[in-house]
Amino acid sequence: MNEKATYIVMLGPPGAGKGTQAKILAEKLGLVHISTGDLFRENLSQETELGKLASSYMAKGELVPDDVTIAMVKERLSRPDCAKGAVMDGFPRTPAQAEAFEALLAEIGGKVDLVPFISVPNDVLVERLSGRWMSHAGRVYHALYNPPKVKWVDDVDGSPLYQRDDDKPETVLHRINVYYDQTSPLIDFYRQAGKLVEIDGTQEIEQVTEDLLKAVA
Ligand code: AP5
């Protein structure tokens, strides 16, 4: 049984700031940050079969099939570092994933505690994703809004930064459509469950964090 574990689901469109905030929140709360996008990208860089399969969907801005994604999350949540719970970033992302997640947590005596929905209008999303710079360790920067100390260089380990393939403008627009089509129904799912808290994601990063911490308290 795992009754004291805390599970937070970050919800919002691509570029809303889920990853940026999930990392901060996980650190502050002593929880694990689980990003399905990062897990797929790690698999891709290690050239695993899962990585190859996922990349064929990710490159087009499509979702990786539910069964593959759910199995990956199930394995990740079974590791000992998840004993206190997790901040979920990019999962669940479809009604089927949300149902599977409920069942998965029920098996270990847990439940979703809070769902911060970070809302940001589409034009801002496009601007954020087109200026996003990533480190190979998964740290996220923005050319204007969250720049590294030295352009294109990771503040922490000095390695070069890169732009994600799926941050090309045409793929970004498709990802936003996929979000409205397949993920936005989760807003009502969690609202009806009384777990949704809407957060204004257009504010400065620090202010968004402050609002999130208030919601968690
Ligand atoms: P994933 O990696 O999860 O991408 P995403 O959901 O599209 O989200 P992003 O990472 O693009 O955005 P974010 O909200 O985390 O924003 P960030 O903090 O980086 O998924 C990629 C792909 O993997 C999917 O398309 C799919 O193929 C597959 N996948 C993943 N999960 C899946 C699942 N569950 N099921 C099926 N397939 C799945 O911020 C964006 C930028 O804005 C950064 O540059 C940041 O510095 C900047 N920024 C952040 N906050 C602010 C702020 N307040 N003000 C100004 N700038 C800000």
Side-chain angles (χ1 to χ4, degrees):
M1 291 289 276
N2 207 3
E3 280 168 12
K4 290 204 179 106
T6 303
Y7 297 93
I8 297 173
V9 170
M10 306 296 285
L11 200 57
K18 301 181 299 296
T20 300
Q21 297 296 338
K23 276 192 192 70
I24 301 172
L25 212 53
E27 202 178 304
K28 289 198 184 281
L29 302 177
L31 301 175
V32 170
H33 168 214
I34 298 182
S35 155
T36 39
D38 286 353
L39 290 174
F40 286 134
R41 281 183 288 277
E42 271 164 41
N43 272 278
L44 181 59
S45 69
Q46 291 160 10
E47 299 181 354
T48 68
E49 287 307 313
L50 173 61
K52 284 180 212 159
L53 173 78
S55 79
S56 63
Y57 294 93
M58 292 168 83
K60 290 183 282 188
E62 299 286 343
L63 295 187
V64 179
D66 284 338
D67 55 343
V68 175
T69 308
I70 292 163
M72 178 177 75
V73 170
K74 187 173 182 180
E75 189 283 321
R76 182 64 189 87
L77 280 172
S78 71
R79 295 194 213 158
D81 62 343
C82 295
K84 284 187 179 168
V87 180
M88 307 301 297
D89 163 16
F91 181 93
R93 216 168 172 115
T94 63
Q97 291 181 16
E99 300 284 359
F101 191 45
E102 298 283 310
L104 205 60
L105 292 184
E107 269 176 37
I108 54 172
K111 62 176 176 48
V112 170
D113 293 283
L114 190 75
V115 182
F117 164 49
I118 307 186
S119 75
V120 173
N122 289 357
D123 53 335
V124 179
L125 299 174
V126 174
E127 199 193 356
R128 285 195 187 168
L129 293 176
S130 58
R132 173 163 61 183
W133 296 347
M134 300 285 299
S135 86
H136 289 275
R139 281 178 283 277
V140 183
Y141 299 88
H142 190 280
L144 299 176
Y145 306 127
N146 185 23
K149 292 190 184 92
V150 179
K151 265 188 183 178
W152 292 106
V153 176
D154 185 17
D155 286 349
V156 177
D157 64 18
S159 64
L161 302 177
Y162 72 98
Q163 280 191 298
R164 273 171 47 177
D165 282 345
D166 61 348
D167 280 348
K168 289 187 293 228
E170 62 277 18
T171 318
V172 164
L173 293 176
H174 185 58
R175 283 165 57 206
I176 292 172
N177 286 333
V178 168
Y179 162 79
Y180 281 109
D181 194 32
Q182 302 193 48
T183 307
S184 67
L186 296 189
I187 299 169
D188 269 348
F189 177 87
Y190 285 119
R191 184 179 283 129
Q192 277 164 22
K195 295 179 175 172
L196 197 86
V197 182
E198 191 156 349
I199 304 283
D200 176 3
T202 61
Q203 309 171 92
E204 305 250 319
I205 291 174
E206 293 72 19
Q207 186 58 51
V208 176
T209 305
E210 208 170 294
D211 286 2
L212 280 165
L213 289 172
K214 271 189 215 146
V216 170

